[in-house]
Amino acid sequence: MEVAERIRAEGARLTAAERRVATTILASPQLVAFGTVADLARTAEVGAASVVRLANKLGFDGYSELQHCIQGELSAQLRPAAERIHDSSNQSVAAHAEAELANVRATLGAVGDDALTALVERLADPDRPVLIVSGEATAGVGRLFAEQLDQLRGGVDCVQGSEVAVRRSIALADQRSTALVIDLRRYERWVLDAHAALADRSIWSAVLTDGVLSPLAQRADATFIVTAGSVGPFDSHVGTLAVLNLITNSVADALRVTAADRLGAIEAAWGDAGALTDGA
């Protein structure tokens, strides 16, 4: 990303306050794309003047030009794969590594302590069923999360299938349930509709999505912002997987005793059946 490259180039010249602003920009580019100088300053815990000084130091003619640049970069990432495949981009291992590491750092850096604590407390409560709703592009990481969480505790289900099946699952869901909804723009209509139906039933939800202005974030109780930049035509879901791993590990820590017994029973069943092999 151009802005990230400028920040790296100017890193040694930045003051402590400017460095806090730069760190916030890299962690939450959506905040800059859709927010104000005051929003960025408040999040970085600096004065508005530091935001403007950083923009100028990076070679921009004020905050508006910095914002426009980031908006363009985010729009480029969100274009359809059919358009992005024609772009000339660096497909080297180093370029991919830089992009994926940036996704992980930005995604995990944007995790709010309050949101994480609230979600983990609910997921660690065995009396609260869990519903996973995921778009097609993130279905793989969503299923992996559901499978791993189900090994730690019971009552974990993926909401999927036809509209009839989805609506039935939501209509019959325990109102104490916790829903985790995963999708990035361009959003799948059924995911938005399912999340709206969950909200209409006052079922608590956390979402993994691309920005605070996402329609999913607007009706969520907790939001986790995912950065999905890629040097190729498809969005990366490495950041999505990283934050789901964080959530899973946090739940495992909260359920250390009961989860250990559950995992032990699963391992014993696999061993008795000879279900796993080292290939020998």
Side-chain angles (χ1 to χ4, degrees), residues 68-86:
H68 180 73
C69 182
I70 290 180
Q71 287 173 343
E73 291 179 341
L74 291 177
S75 296
Q77 291 177 14
L78 297 169
R79 285 182 299 145
E83 294 180 11
R84 288 160 59 179
I85 198 169
H86 297 294

Side-chain angles (χ1 to χ4, degrees), residues 180-216:
L180 181 65
V181 184
I182 313 169
D183 204 13
L184 312 180
R185 79 182 88 178
R186 299 173 294 159
Y187 314 103
E188 293 185 41
R189 174 61 59 186
W190 81 267
V191 174
L192 300 184
D193 291 345
H195 187 231
L198 288 163
D200 288 342
R201 290 207 56 216
S202 298
I203 291 177
W204 195 96
S205 69
V207 300
L208 272 64
T209 190
D210 56 278
V212 293
L213 294 185
S214 160
L216 292 175

Side-chain angles (χ1 to χ4, degrees), residues 97-119:
E98 182 177 355
E100 299 296 11
L101 288 171
N103 287 332
V104 172
R105 291 192 185 103
T107 301
L108 294 182
V111 173
D113 291 339
D114 290 344
L116 181 62
T117 298
L119 177 58

Side-chain angles (χ1 to χ4, degrees), residues 17-215:
E18 291 166 352
R19 194 170 295 113
R20 286 200 296 274
V21 178
T23 300
T24 303
I25 291 172
L26 293 176
S28 304
Q30 293 89 348
L31 175 64
V32 184
F34 305 110
T36 65
V37 170
D39 292 332
L40 179 55
R42 183 168 53 253
T43 302
E45 298 182 344
V46 300
S50 295
V51 173
V52 177
R53 282 196 295 269
L54 175 66
N56 293 334
K57 192 170 287 188
L58 296 179
F60 295 106
D61 185 17
Y63 178 79
S64 295
E65 189 172 311
L66 167 65
Q67 184 179 54
H68 180 73
C69 182
I70 290 180
Q71 287 173 343
E73 291 179 341
L74 291 177
S75 296
Q77 291 177 14
L78 297 169
R79 285 182 299 145
E83 294 180 11
R84 288 160 59 179
I85 198 169
H86 297 294
D87 294 343
S88 58
S89 56
N90 185 352
Q91 298 296 329
S92 69
V93 172
H96 279 276
E98 182 177 355
E100 299 296 11
L101 288 171
N103 287 332
V104 172
R105 291 192 185 103
T107 301
L108 294 182
V111 173
D113 291 339
D114 290 344
L116 181 62
T117 298
L119 177 58
V120 170
E121 284 181 354
R122 295 183 68 91
L123 295 179
D125 184 348
D127 292 328
R128 296 185 184 275
V130 178
L131 303 174
I132 311 296
V133 181
S134 177
E136 182 68 22
T138 55
V141 291
R143 281 194 298 270
L144 176 63
F145 174 75
E147 291 167 2
Q148 291 180 340
L149 186 63
D150 191 60
Q151 293 182 57
L152 299 174
R153 49 151 296 170
V156 181
D157 292 303
C158 290
V159 177
Q160 56 191 356
S162 68
E163 183 176 2
V164 171
V166 170
R167 292 288 178 170
R168 181 179 65 241
S169 295
I170 295 173
L172 297 178
D174 188 325
Q175 200 163 17
R176 297 173 301 168
S177 296
T178 297
L180 181 65
V181 184
I182 313 169
D183 204 13
L184 312 180
R185 79 182 88 178
R186 299 173 294 159
Y187 314 103
E188 293 185 41
R189 174 61 59 186
W190 81 267
V191 174
L192 300 184
D193 291 345
H195 187 231
L198 288 163
D200 288 342
R201 290 207 56 216
S202 298
I203 291 177
W204 195 96
S205 69
V207 300
L208 272 64
T209 190
D210 56 278
V212 293
L213 294 185
S214 160

Side-chain angles (χ1 to χ4, degrees), residues 7-22:
I7 288 174
R8 281 193 290 271
E10 297 295 330
R13 297 180 54 235
L14 301 182
T15 66
E18 291 166 352
R19 194 170 295 113
R20 286 200 296 274
V21 178

